């Protein structure tokens, strides 16, 4: 079995921490696992981040673009409660 964990970060927030723990458990069991994040906080060499300058820029622009699109689509008082997750 192969596994890929995708997350915004590896250790900042509840869901990223849970994904990182799951990734580590899979590795300990001998299952091939990779974790790809936009922002790596840990020094874990098994967690991969974007390497090209264009990918790094896209990782920083994408959240602002997503928030902008979400705010235009959903006219409510709390635009931060929405997430496009398609960009």
């Amino acid at each position: 079995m192969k596994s890929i964990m995708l997350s915004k970060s590896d250790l900042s927030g509840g869901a990223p921490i849970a994904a990182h723990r799951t990734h580590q458990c899979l590795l300990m069991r001998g299952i091939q696992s990779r974790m790809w994040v936009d922002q790596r906080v840990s020094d874990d060499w098994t967690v991969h981040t974007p390497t090209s300058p264009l990918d790094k820029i896209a990782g920083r622009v994408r959240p602002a673009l997503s928030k902008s699109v979400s705010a235009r689509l959903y006219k409510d008082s709390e635009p931060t409660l929405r997430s496009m997750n398609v960009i």
Side-chain angles (χ1 to χ4, degrees):
M1 176 184 355
K2 294 182 181 180
S3 171
I4 297 178
M5 302 287 172
L6 303 174
S7 182
K8 177 70 178 165
S9 176
D10 57 347
L11 293 178
S12 62
I17 291 172
H20 188 258
R21 286 180 182 167
T22 302
H23 167 67
Q24 291 298 320
C25 288
L26 290 171
L27 290 174
M28 286 190 305
R29 293 213 175 249
I31 297 171
Q32 185 179 358
S33 178
R34 293 184 183 212
M35 185 166 188
W36 288 88
V37 299
D38 278 337
Q39 299 171 344
R40 183 169 65 184
V41 177
S42 71
D43 59 351
D44 186 352
W45 64 273
T46 65
V47 176
H48 304 282
T49 58
T51 54
S52 76
L54 184 61
D55 288 339
K56 289 179 183 180
I57 291 170
R60 293 178 189 213
V61 170
R62 205 176 300 127
L65 183 61
S66 177
K67 188 178 280 190
S68 173
V69 169
S70 179
R72 291 174 194 261
L73 289 176
Y74 301 102
K75 304 290 184 190
D76 56 7
S77 60
E78 291 293 330
T80 58
L81 296 177
R82 310 280 187 214
S83 174
M84 294 304 292
N85 288 329
V86 295
I87 297 176

